[in-house]
Amino acid sequence: MLTLVPVLAKAALATTAAVLVCAVIAWWRRWWGRAARIHYSAVALAAVLFLTVAGNYHLLG
């Protein structure tokens, strides 16, 4: 079970990178309403904070 944790953390790293790119594009192209873009940005921030905690516990590799 513990061998799966680094694999999932690396998958989260790739997914977070994609979410961040999509958040920038959403603001640049004005997709959705302002509230939806703010919500999506908050989700992206939560993903970055998750990776920060995972990195502090040396779960990324």
Side-chain angles (χ1 to χ4, degrees):
M1 184 78 150
L2 290 178
T3 58
L4 189 62
V5 172
V7 173
L8 291 175
K10 288 179 183 175
L13 182 65
T15 305
T16 299
V19 167
L20 289 173
V21 169
C22 288
V24 169
I25 292 171
W27 280 98
W28 184 54
R29 293 189 181 176
R30 298 183 187 266
W31 289 344
W32 316 308
R34 178 171 288 158
R37 289 191 310 248
I38 290 171
H39 180 265
Y40 196 81
S41 297
V43 170
L45 178 64
V48 169
L49 292 175
F50 170 77
L51 288 178
T52 302
V53 171
N56 286 338
Y57 283 102
H58 304 288
L59 297 175
L60 294 177

